[in-house]
Amino acid sequence: MSEAGRTKADLDTPALWVDLDTLERNIAELARHFAAAGVQWRPHMKGIRVPAIARKAIAAGAIGVTCATMREAEAMADGGVGDILIANQMVGQRKISRLTRLCQRADVKVIVDNADNVRELDAAARCHGLRIGVLIDVDCGMNRTGLLPGPPVLELAHAVERSDGLRFLGLMAWEGHTLALADPDERVLATRDAIARLVAMAEACRAAGLQAPIVSGGGSGTYKTTPFIKGMTEIQAGGAIFCDVIYQRWGVETTPCLFVQTIVSSRPAPDRIVVDAGFKTLPIWHAQPRGIGLPAVKSHASSAEHGVITLERADTRIKVGDLLDFIVGYTDSAIILHRKLYGIRQGVVEVEWDLI
């Protein structure tokens, strides 16, 4: 069937799709939110994976994008995005070689937390006549990567500043550990404490004579708090563009717009619905997907190709062959399982995007 006039119901299932009207409203809402906070917006693309959506965010006011991997960054540059932060350490000859090539066609910044990596980046940059922008990764409680706040951060910042092939641009942290706190008030306090440590280190860098124009952090789970903390300059929240079950649990107030359309393949019992989307297309690892228009659900289980929904009580209104949409549980784990994302406006397929 040709693209012209194709409807959502014409898509083979399972199909990953986004409601374009809601997507665009979410982007506009987030852009207004960060502008009101007085910070720049650099949305993370690890759960978006579509350069055209990145360009929509940039048109609304975002300054560029954040990426998790070199592959994502290359795809964003291929898609016309010119300002990219890779929020990960680029270590080893292969990655750094790709980085130097990418830096020749886009404004790319990376993070570091190791002096050997600084020397490695500096040597490669000088070899290609580049000056690569660098942020120091600060561990403010996440206990993943980064240096703990204190003298080692300053020492590494000075090492970057002394490097002819690098530019010291500031600091970055991710306060994601706070999202494990169930109580919203405790989460806010923990977020403020984590960001206070990051901002204090930026101030210490400046006191030591280092320019630190960028203080970057903040995700969708903390987007109500982090942007309003004095000293933050840019926020990386990206998942709120789509929103999902987990983000709603964390208090995100944008509207979910990313769905998987499935077909009911079996009704073996009055309280059981089987759809053609198992963990290979609609994972339940981080949170159960939420069915649209379903009766009360007792459980949602999955095998490779089957989603098994057990209802609280018998209900035979949903028939074999009916189409069911599910809000994904967590965008990051769902979107990596699909090759295509369909952009739907008022039930009509407007665009088909390849996922990077």
Side-chain angles (χ1 to χ4, degrees):
M1 181 176 294
S2 68
E3 290 290 331
R6 189 161 61 146
T7 70
K8 184 168 77 70
D10 294 322
L11 298 176
D12 196 7
T13 58
L16 185 72
W17 68 277
V18 60
D19 184 292
L20 292 172
D21 287 330
T22 305
L23 172 79
E24 290 162 2
R25 285 196 299 270
N26 286 348
I27 288 172
E29 179 181 334
L30 290 165
R32 287 192 298 269
H33 176 79
F34 296 122
V39 295
Q40 305 278 14
W41 183 30
R42 184 187 292 282
H44 212 306
M45 291 291 111
K46 64 185 174 64
I48 306 295
R49 303 179 71 83
V50 177
I53 295 177
R55 294 197 302 272
K56 285 178 181 287
I58 291 167
I63 60 170
V65 301
T66 307
C67 294
T69 67
M70 177 57 64
R71 181 175 179 273
E72 290 174 9
E74 290 166 337
M76 288 292 151
D78 290 343
V81 177
D83 192 333
I84 301 167
L85 168 64
I86 304 177
N88 210 337
Q89 286 76 8
M90 293 295 102
V91 175
Q93 182 178 350
R94 283 183 292 272
K95 285 184 173 62
I96 292 176
S97 177
R98 291 168 68 182
L99 174 64
T100 58
R101 290 195 296 271
L102 184 60
C103 287
Q104 295 174 49
R105 59 192 180 99
D107 178 4
V108 184
K109 293 158 278 289
V110 297
I111 64 170
V112 298
D113 63 3
N114 178 273
D116 290 337
N117 186 215
V118 167
R119 288 187 285 271
E120 188 179 30
L121 289 167
D122 178 45
R126 286 187 287 106
C127 182
H128 291 85
L130 299 170
R131 292 199 71 205
I132 299 173
V134 169
L135 281 71
I136 307 298
D137 184 10
V138 181
D139 179 3
C140 290
M142 187 70 176
N143 294 331
R144 190 168 62 185
T145 62
L147 297 172
L148 292 173
V153 174
L154 287 173
E155 292 171 11
L156 195 61
H158 280 295
V160 173
E161 184 73 8
R162 291 191 299 268
S163 302
D164 293 335
L166 307 178
R167 293 178 296 136
F168 175 66
L169 296 178
L171 307 177
M172 191 206 90
W174 166 223
E175 66 281 13
H177 60 287
T178 66
L179 300 176
L181 299 171
D183 184 88
D185 293 334
E186 290 183 11
R187 196 183 310 146
V188 168
L189 291 175
T191 298
R192 288 174 178 165
D193 177 69
I195 296 302
R197 283 178 273 168
L198 174 65
V199 169
M201 281 311 311
E203 292 171 350
C205 287
R206 295 174 188 130
L210 297 163
Q211 297 296 316
I214 298 176
V215 183
S216 185
S220 294
T222 63
Y223 85 118
K224 291 182 181 178
T225 302
T226 301
F228 297 94
I229 298 174
K230 185 178 179 180
M232 291 300 295
T233 70
E234 64 178 45
I235 302 298
Q236 299 176 13
I241 289 174
F242 283 153
C243 198
D244 56 37
V245 173
I246 279 187
Y247 284 126
Q248 287 190 313
R249 187 182 301 165
W250 288 334
V252 171
E253 294 182 356
T254 52
T255 303
C257 62
L258 186 69
F259 307 89
V260 172
Q261 178 176 261
T262 70
I263 195 167
V264 177
S265 55
S266 180
R267 285 300 321 262
D271 65 344
R272 193 184 321 145
I273 299 169
V274 181
V275 297
D276 66 339
F279 61 69
K280 291 168 68 176
T281 50
L282 187 62
I284 63 173
W285 308 315
H286 293 98
Q288 286 197 348
R290 184 182 302 143
I292 305 298
L294 280 177
V297 173
K298 182 177 181 180
S299 66
H300 184 146
S302 70
S303 54
E305 306 291 354
H306 298 87
V308 181
I309 297 96
T310 302
L311 305 176
E312 292 282 0
R313 58 188 61 86
D315 191 314
T316 59
R317 288 173 293 176
I318 295 173
K319 307 295 184 182
V320 169
D322 286 351
L323 296 175
L324 292 179
D325 287 314
F326 290 84
I327 301 171
V328 301
Y330 185 46
T331 57
D332 288 24
S333 58
I335 202 165
I336 60 171
L337 303 176
H338 294 261
R339 297 179 181 177
K340 300 283 187 182
L341 174 62
Y342 298 93
I344 309 295
R345 198 180 304 273
Q346 298 179 5
V348 175
V349 179
E350 184 173 299
V351 64
E352 178 182 321
W353 288 309
D354 291 323
L355 291 165
I356 64 175

